[in-house]
Amino acid sequence: MSQNNSQSDSIQNPRVTWEGCSVLLDINDGDRLVFARLSAGSTLKIGNKTYSLQPLIGCPFGSLFQVENGDQGHCLARFVPSIEGNNIQEKGDFESQDEIKDNRALVDNNKAQSLTGEEINAMRSQGATGDEIVEALIANSATFEKKTLFSQEKYRLKKQKKYAPKVLLRRPFARSICEAYFKKYPARIGFLRVDALSLLLSMANVSANSDVLVVDMVGGLLTGAVAERLGGTGYVCSTYLGSTPYSIDIVRIFNLSNEICKRIVRSPLTDLSLSQNGTSEQIHQQGDEINQQGDEINMECLSNNQMSSSVGMEEISPTENDTSDVISETTVSPVNKTGKSTKAGNKAPKQAIDLWKENGFSSLIIAAPELDLWSLLKDLLPLLANSAPFAIYHQYLQPLATCMHNLQLGKMAIGLQISEPWLREYQVLPSRTHPCMQMSAFGGYILSGIKICSSS
Amino acid sequence: MLPIDPTKKISFTRHICDGDLVVVYERHDNMKAIKVCQGSVLQNRFGVFKHSDWIGKPFGSKVFSNKNGFVYLLAPTPELWTLVLSHRTQILYIADISFVIMYLEIVPGCMVLESGTGSGSLTTSLARAVAPTGHVYTFDFHEQRAASAREDFEKTGLSSLVTVGVRDIQGEGFPDEFSGLADSVFLDLPQPWLAIPSAGKMLKPDGVLCSFSPCIEQVQRACDSLRSNFTDIKTFEILLRTYEVREVKMDCSQGDEAKPGSILPRKRPQRAIEKGNEQDKLSSQTVMARPCSEAKGHTGYLTFARLKCLS
């Protein structure tokens, strides 16, 4: 089953990993998120130990892995939870027995745990599993029995994270990639929250066979998300001002097939502009030269990355560990580069550019926090087919307000709206349902509208 | 509606033809879907519009009535359709819809199950997301509603992507033929917990389920039943705050008439611009934005869960 999936081109979104595929590793319920490319040589560091990622190859996404003591020392092994998880019984217990206990007997004097660090280390060296250590800690806790069942579960989970870490194998999708970046490195994706990204894709009517023009200064997240929706049809054309394309490195984290990657192209705005048919030859030549340069620069960036961390592996992890104390080091050994490297973001073919000039793009999405929005939009809007929708993201309101006002005055678009999504997560537990204590207060603003025919 | 047929794709050269579905835009809060029919007319408060005047014009055109009133003719999209469809039930709107598509990880080629169909607002977006090779099977226990939905998908050109079935999913579950084949399942049912075991059977391992419920009690019970076979259970509420933008004149003069610091909103900002700033030397024009005072305060809770991977 897993073997068949090594050719990912035939299958849109394979559910089983293969050698060379990109994965998102969720360590201990989101405490640490690591993007990795699976190969025989790739490894993951948890705590002070390094584990081979080899056992993850050929496993279904969604699989859970645990550290086990094997013949060759510690390794990651598949952990299959039983269907009737202990959850059910425990949850039942919560409801029936919970009410009698409270925290009146708990004294915070740091003496509750009688097991010392040396004793734990001794257990480890004798080959005790993480789960056994957790059980020992519970048995030696003076206060565990006095806790409510709910806080007992919390305690168990905390110890489990430290002594028996779990690794969840997840598919890198626009959803998980955006969430991972937003959680750990929001600045790299321009603080674009997943609900705002969803809105951009919907408002711009991204659908199979459409030709989507994007200005992506959010690391390639937008380009990748659009390509994912196109599924190897149409085009996503990432345009840029000047001679150097903006980085779309995040695209490599998506498991996009070659077919899909071919549909991700880049073109400088000057090449797309309608007015430059006459001297286009010259401009093309210039553009080519500059582009080559640009590519070289890009390659350099990549190899630098490789030295510091690795190509195709993006470590997303908090530098200091707030909740989980197990993770002291976050370095990851480099992954070899043998994984298939489909080249996304080639220069847009001349044929395609000519077609866009003739027909116009079917939609436009801008996420360019560093550009002057109105002057950009003035150049881009004429490239859009009439009645085509557009959506512009910004983390500040004012540039969008100015754009909206100018579009209204110029009668260039209708259905104009600035919206700000608000997303709240809930904790849902028996008798304990409430909004989560922490929430993201801001996910960005979006200006959306529909281009209309100019009145002249 | 979708560019499944490349000749129907919007472009500079694509013109409105007899038989096309167009969205007639009066204002942002007043739109209507109309099938263009030679010889037919549209009558509204702006006067009488002849369809024959529309044929041959590009989408996005401004067209005039006999009284010189005007509307815009737009190419339909799932977003516009959500604003113009006939409400046979409460429907989902863009914020929830876009989030559902993203969180259900729906991409071209996916197979998606939905119940109930309702007015088909979400279904239209599901169809766009699975196109061109995937499929949406949607079920409603209400025969007439299912038939109306089928007609709508015919009208919007989505019939090849959507199959509407009449079935009580809470009572009977999804049909066995889809067992283990669904990439994602969406439930909008009064008692979702009754359908969750069946949804679990339909999903591929690691497939995602979403249940939409307006009431927290429904969420509570749905989550209880999800815990046995599902993982990564998350409940969200998503709302949109919209902003209104206007150009305001900030008075900077020290004169007697003007109160310092007062804001004088301009209803017609374009006039002010055309006139130029000569007589307004002592005031400055600023574009300002503020949240609209009315908004939807609640639509529903979205609960997502992933089928545990046991094999």
Side-chain angles (χ1 to χ4, degrees):
Chain A
M1 188 173 157
S2 57
Q3 249 57 37
N4 299 342
N5 277 331
S6 56
Q7 276 301 53
S8 63
D9 288 331
S10 51
I11 302 155
Q12 289 287 355
N13 48 334
R15 291 187 172 270
V16 177
T17 65
W18 63 95
E19 176 141 15
C21 90
S22 163
V23 296
L24 173 59
L25 302 176
D26 176 335
I27 299 149
N28 281 338
D29 265 337
D31 284 357
R32 227 180 117 205
L33 299 165
V34 180
F35 289 109
R37 206 166 276 284
L38 296 186
S39 73
S42 56
T43 56
L44 170 74
K45 198 162 181 181
I46 306 175
N48 50 13
K49 289 199 180 65
T50 303
Y51 302 95
S52 164
L53 292 180
Q54 166 88 45
L56 276 60
I57 299 174
C59 288
F61 282 105
S63 307
L64 204 55
F65 293 82
Q66 232 181 355
V67 173
E68 250 175 37
N69 281 327
D71 303 333
Q72 289 110 32
H74 294 277
C75 64
L76 289 173
R78 181 88 191 273
F79 169 80
V80 179
S82 58
I83 295 191
E84 291 298 315
N86 8 358
N87 268 343
I88 286 271
Q89 293 146 357
E90 281 168 17
K91 293 286 149 39
D93 289 350
F94 282 153
E95 277 177 313
S96 50
Q97 304 172 10
D98 208 6
E99 280 77 34
I100 24 170
K101 289 182 189 170
D102 54 35
N103 63 2
R104 75 185 73 201
L106 294 184
V107 185
D108 196 6
N109 59 5
N110 218 3
K111 284 180 184 159
Q113 183 55 256
S114 55
L115 213 59
T116 65
E118 288 89 63
E119 284 168 325
I120 295 170
N121 283 338
M123 280 182 78
R124 267 201 188 130
S125 55
Q126 283 156 30
T129 67
D131 287 334
E132 282 164 0
I133 295 175
V134 173
E135 289 311 316
L137 283 166
I138 290 170
N140 287 283
S141 163
T143 51
F144 187 79
E145 285 307 319
K146 296 196 190 100
K147 289 173 193 276
T148 64
L149 277 167
F150 188 53
S151 51
Q152 283 182 357
E153 177 65 13
K154 260 188 174 168
Y155 181 88
R156 186 186 296 271
L157 211 64
K158 212 172 122 191
K159 296 302 170 192
Q160 175 257 305
K161 282 179 175 184
K162 180 160 179 176
Y163 296 101
K166 287 196 167 73
V167 177
L168 178 64
L169 184 58
R170 295 189 60 188
R171 281 199 293 177
F173 251 101
R175 164 187 162 179
S176 52
I177 295 170
C178 184
E179 281 189 322
Y181 269 93
F182 191 80
K183 195 167 175 186
K184 306 297 186 189
Y185 293 118
R188 291 195 194 168
I189 55 165
F191 301 88
L192 178 63
R193 204 171 55 195
V194 65
D195 48 329
L197 177 61
S198 326
L199 277 165
L200 287 177
L201 299 173
S202 284
M203 285 168 163
N205 190 25
V206 175
S207 50
N209 291 319
S210 44
D211 295 323
V212 185
L213 180 62
V214 302
V215 184
D216 179 344
M217 295 178 85
V218 290
L221 175 65
L222 178 62
T223 309
V226 172
E228 190 180 272
R229 295 272 170 108
L230 292 178
T233 66
Y235 274 106
V236 48
C237 176
S238 175
T239 190
Y240 52 94
L241 301 182
S243 53
T244 315
Y246 312 129
S247 159
I248 54 166
D249 282 357
I250 294 178
V251 167
R252 289 176 305 146
I253 297 173
F254 288 78
N255 270 325
L256 300 177
S257 66
N258 287 330
E259 215 36 65
I260 297 179
C261 284
K262 272 186 229 155
R263 302 308 182 129
I264 302 176
V265 295
R266 293 197 265 194
S267 176
L269 182 54
T270 46
D271 282 9
L272 298 176
S273 296
L274 306 169
S275 52
Q276 268 156 359
N277 279 331
T279 53
S280 68
E281 218 38 53
Q282 211 177 355
I283 289 164
H284 273 286
Q285 274 177 2
Q286 265 178 0
D288 277 344
E289 264 168 51
I290 294 163
N291 258 12
Q292 269 165 12
Q293 261 178 3
D295 274 355
E296 269 166 33
I297 292 163
N298 253 12
M299 289 309 290
E300 258 170 44
C301 288
L302 292 186
S303 47
N304 279 345
N305 273 352
Q306 196 173 22
M307 300 223 286
S308 59
S309 59
S310 63
V311 168
M313 181 149 203
E314 186 88 26
E315 171 76 2
I316 292 201
S317 181
T319 31
E320 69 269 311
N321 300 291
D322 24 28
T323 49
S324 74
D325 34 3
V326 59
I327 301 141
S328 47
E329 259 295 290
T330 58
T331 42
V332 177
S333 71
V335 182
N336 68 8
K337 234 179 105 184
T338 52
K340 66 158 189 191
S341 54
T342 35
K343 187 133 161 56
N346 280 326
K347 198 167 153 42
K350 174 135 189 353
Q351 275 169 303
I353 292 181
D354 289 345
L355 270 178
W356 295 328
K357 283 184 181 173
E358 197 185 320
N359 296 320
F361 285 94
S362 18
S363 58
L364 164 70
I365 308 179
I366 302 176
E370 287 141 62
L371 298 180
D372 180 72
L373 217 47
W374 174 238
S375 57
L376 181 68
L377 192 59
K378 266 193 301 190
D379 289 341
L380 293 178
L381 217 51
L383 310 181
L384 268 189
N386 294 315
S387 195
F390 58 87
I392 307 165
Y393 168 82
H394 212 284
Q395 45 166 323
Y396 293 100
L397 180 57
Q398 192 57 46
L400 295 180
T402 308
C403 267
M404 177 160 160
H405 183 71
N406 292 343
L407 288 169
Q408 278 170 340
L409 288 186
K411 296 198 167 60
M412 300 155 90
I414 54 173
L416 288 166
Q417 184 163 61
I418 295 179
S419 21
E420 177 196 0
W422 184 86
L423 183 69
R424 176 167 227 172
E425 190 174 350
Y426 283 74
Q427 166 186 302
V428 182
L429 287 171
S431 313
R432 271 183 219 89
T433 294
H434 58 70
C436 292
M437 301 290 185
Q438 292 296 323
M439 70 180 274
S440 152
F442 182 62
Y445 300 102
I446 296 166
L447 169 62
S448 58
I450 296 170
K451 189 203 169 190
I452 51 173
C453 303
S454 55
S455 36
S456 55
Chain B
M1 177 181 298
L2 301 180
I4 311 168
D5 174 4
T7 60
K8 296 265 166 143
K9 194 162 158 176
I10 53 163
S11 78
F12 292 136
T13 50
R14 164 92 164 91
H15 296 285
I16 295 169
C17 306
D18 195 15
D20 273 347
L21 182 70
V22 298
V23 172
V24 175
Y25 178 103
E26 285 181 30
R27 270 172 35 157
H28 69 96
D29 56 354
N30 200 347
M31 289 178 238
K32 200 175 175 186
I34 286 177
K35 199 129 212 167
V36 177
C37 180
Q38 180 91 43
S40 208
V41 293
L42 164 71
Q43 202 155 4
N44 66 11
R45 60 201 166 109
F46 299 119
V48 180
F49 297 81
K50 281 196 247 169
H51 287 200
S52 53
D53 292 347
W54 301 353
I55 294 169
K57 288 232 163 65
F59 279 103
S61 292
K62 190 177 183 176
V63 291
F64 294 88
S65 72
N66 59 338
K67 293 181 191 162
N68 218 29
F70 66 86
V71 294
Y72 293 95
L73 303 178
L74 301 178
T77 65
E79 283 61 45
L80 290 174
W81 184 251
T82 289
L83 301 175
V84 300
L85 56 78
S86 51
H87 288 214
R88 298 177 284 268
T89 55
Q90 183 64 256
I91 65 163
L92 264 73
Y93 290 97
I94 185 165
D96 290 298
I97 291 174
S98 65
F99 198 66
V100 165
I101 304 286
M102 174 67 88
Y103 245 69
L104 286 180
E105 304 182 338
I106 302 174
V107 293
C110 279
M111 196 279 253
V112 180
L113 300 178
E114 181 196 31
S115 182
T117 310
S119 308
S121 174
L122 173 70
T123 321
T124 307
S125 284
L126 291 173
R128 172 176 63 190
V130 303
T133 47
H135 204 86
V136 181
Y137 295 92
T138 180
F139 299 91
D140 205 298
F141 58 19
H142 195 288
E143 201 156 324
Q144 219 182 342
R145 218 181 279 147
S148 305
R150 237 176 256 132
E151 277 170 36
D152 277 358
F153 300 137
E154 199 68 51
K155 202 194 261 179
T156 48
L158 301 178
S159 307
S160 61
L161 295 165
V162 182
T163 305
V164 186
V166 180
R167 191 178 170 97
D168 174 13
I169 298 301
Q170 280 184 188
E172 304 169 65
F174 288 99
D176 282 336
E177 54 180 303
F178 301 124
S179 252
L181 297 177
D183 291 287
S184 326
V185 174
F186 180 84
L187 303 176
D188 180 358
L189 298 169
Q191 296 162 294
W193 54 92
L194 297 177
I196 282 171
S198 164
K201 274 186 214 143
M202 301 300 127
L203 280 168
K204 294 175 183 172
D206 203 40
V208 190
L209 170 139
C210 175
S211 171
F212 174 91
S213 303
C215 304
I216 199 75
E217 290 79 6
Q218 294 168 300
V219 174
Q220 192 82 53
R221 289 195 67 175
C223 286
D224 287 346
S225 71
L226 282 170
R227 282 187 193 101
S228 51
N229 287 318
F230 289 81
T231 172
D232 205 7
I233 304 165
K234 282 167 181 276
T235 300
F236 295 98
E237 194 180 12
I238 178 166
L239 296 170
L240 276 192
R241 169 182 252 185
T242 54
Y243 286 79
E244 54 185 43
V245 169
R246 69 192 334 183
E247 188 176 48
V248 290
K249 190 177 132 191
M250 306 293 288
D251 203 322
C252 312
S253 69
Q254 305 271 314
D256 296 332
E257 287 154 53
K259 295 176 206 122
S262 71
I263 297 174
L264 307 169
R266 286 265 170 129
K267 277 217 164 158
R268 295 209 169 268
Q270 56 267 47
R271 292 251 172 89
I273 288 260
E274 281 157 17
K275 264 193 282 173
N277 283 0
E278 276 150 45
Q279 65 234 70
D280 297 327
K281 264 190 184 146
L282 290 173
S283 62
S284 59
Q285 305 281 346
T286 318
V287 175
M288 293 192 184
R290 64 155 222 171
C292 301
S293 36
E294 270 184 44
K296 263 201 191 70
H298 181 63
T299 56
Y301 299 100
L302 291 167
T303 299
F304 296 92
R306 210 176 263 286
L307 188 66
K308 275 184 191 164
C309 216
L310 300 166
S311 54

